[in-house]
Amino acid sequence: MPSSWESSRSGSVGDGPEAPGTCGVVALPPGVPPFRILHISGTSLVHGRRGDTYVVYHIRVACAGAFPSAWTCYRRYAEFDAVHGALRAAGVACAAPPGKRLFGNLSASFLAERAVLLERWLRELAPEALASEPGRRFLTKLADTPPPMASRD
């Protein structure tokens, strides 16, 4: 792997250490990587250490010239909201992700609908937003590392 490539591994998803046997690293080519959001492939319910339960969305991403060339990142709704705030703070104009719902947010029908809306939101972001520092972190941190204590729905 050329030394000019950027390796992204930071932050955490969930409440625990990385799952054993996962790489968690994406090597990006120099310049602006052409990220493609393939789809949100599913969701997981995660049972946190504090007894809370939350949903993690599985985002399948591809990037020409990256190693690996495709990966899955796992993000909570709060992380979609946070990357929106970080993009705005970085001067990137973008619409807000779909709104938060306080009750009934673990039902299968709601999760399926929200996954479609979040995928649409990601696809509608300008390439510059995805290639910005907040966008790259969102799409690469802990790549292919599912959260601990997750049960797939």
Side-chain angles (χ1 to χ4, degrees):
M1 176 169 45
S3 62
S4 63
W5 285 27
E6 174 184 336
S7 182
S8 177
R9 182 188 179 121
S10 63
S12 64
V13 176
D15 294 323
E18 293 179 34
T22 57
C23 71
V25 175
V26 174
L28 299 176
V32 177
F35 288 112
R36 284 188 315 120
I37 306 300
L38 299 178
H39 60 93
I40 293 183
S41 61
T43 60
S44 293
L45 290 180
V46 177
H47 306 288
R49 291 183 184 170
R50 296 178 299 269
D52 56 334
T53 299
Y54 54 89
V55 176
V56 174
Y57 297 88
H58 309 185
I59 308 165
R60 194 73 182 142
V61 181
C63 180
F67 181 80
S69 61
W71 61 91
T72 300
C73 55
Y74 301 86
R75 301 293 176 256
R76 296 176 70 164
Y77 175 81
E79 292 175 286
F80 284 87
D81 200 39
V83 76
H84 172 253
L87 288 169
R88 300 285 302 224
V92 178
C94 59
K100 189 161 179 123
R101 183 169 157 186
L102 297 177
F103 300 102
N105 59 357
L106 297 180
S107 75
S109 62
F110 174 74
L111 293 178
E113 178 184 342
R114 177 175 269 175
V116 167
L117 294 174
L118 288 172
E119 181 176 315
R120 183 178 307 146
W121 180 76
L122 285 169
R123 288 177 183 267
E124 289 174 356
L125 286 175
E128 297 79 28
L130 295 177
S132 70
E133 183 60 28
R136 287 195 329 229
R137 267 194 324 268
F138 180 78
L139 294 175
T140 61
K141 83 175 178 185
L142 296 176
D144 289 330
T145 306
M149 300 182 277
S151 60
R152 180 146 183 163
D153 291 340

